[in-house]
Amino acid sequence: MSYDRNNIFAKILRKEIPCDKIYENDHVLAFKDINPQAKIHVLVIPKGAYVNMDDFSQNAKNDEIVALTRALGEVTKIVGLSSYSEGKGYRYIGNNGPDGGQEVPHLHFHIIGGEPLGRMVSKK
Ligand code: AMP
């Protein structure tokens, strides 16, 4: 599983292209999705070079894993979706590999909400 340093999120992390930043810490960056699928749609990514969840869960340091998990909760709070901010619920999506529909080969979680989202998966 080799990491493509030219993927779009690697370029965002190197500040070669801009993003609409929501949150950042030493290990994590969160920004608005450029093509939102609901009223609120943000992406949370580790700063480390991990292709997907298989890669991250096996190779990331504990600090990075904790930071990503905490950031997922923090970002839902920042965008007003978590129960701590009286949100109405939301969805995390983590697409992995071709069948999972992953387009960008840098691990990322989608946080989507702000309106009813319907069923989890719709079959083609
Ligand atoms: P996935 O299909 O899970 O790999 O999702 C990739 C997501 O990245 C899509 O929802 C895209 O809209 C989003 N995306 C692609 N390029 C950018 C960008 N430059 N800034 C923000 N989001 C992006």
Side-chain angles (χ1 to χ4, degrees), residues 36-100:
Q37 300 299 306
K39 284 184 183 158
I40 296 172
H41 187 169
V42 300
L43 299 169
V44 181
I45 70 173
K47 289 186 174 176
Y50 301 102
V51 178
N52 56 26
M53 195 59 185
D54 304 306
D55 186 11
F56 187 73
S57 62
Q58 289 178 42
N59 299 316
K61 297 191 176 72
N62 287 356
D63 283 1
E64 296 175 295
I65 293 170
V66 170
L68 183 65
T69 307
R70 295 265 190 227
L72 286 167
E74 189 61 27
V75 172
T76 57
K77 216 179 339 176
I78 290 168
V79 299
L81 293 177
S82 82
S83 49
Y84 292 107
S85 45
E86 298 179 11
K88 292 183 175 171
Y90 53 90
R91 181 173 294 157
Y92 290 123
I93 297 175
N95 295 323
N96 278 255
D99 280 0

Side-chain angles (χ1 to χ4, degrees), residues 8-9 12 17-20 31-37 41 43 93-96 100-106 108 110:
I8 196 96
F9 295 167
I12 287 174
I17 61 169
C19 72
D20 196 345
F31 52 92
K32 290 186 183 173
D33 195 293
I34 205 167
N35 182 22
Q37 300 299 306
H41 187 169
L43 299 169
I93 297 175
N95 295 323
N96 278 255
Q102 182 178 10
E103 291 172 1
V104 179
H106 180 112
H108 53 281
H110 301 254

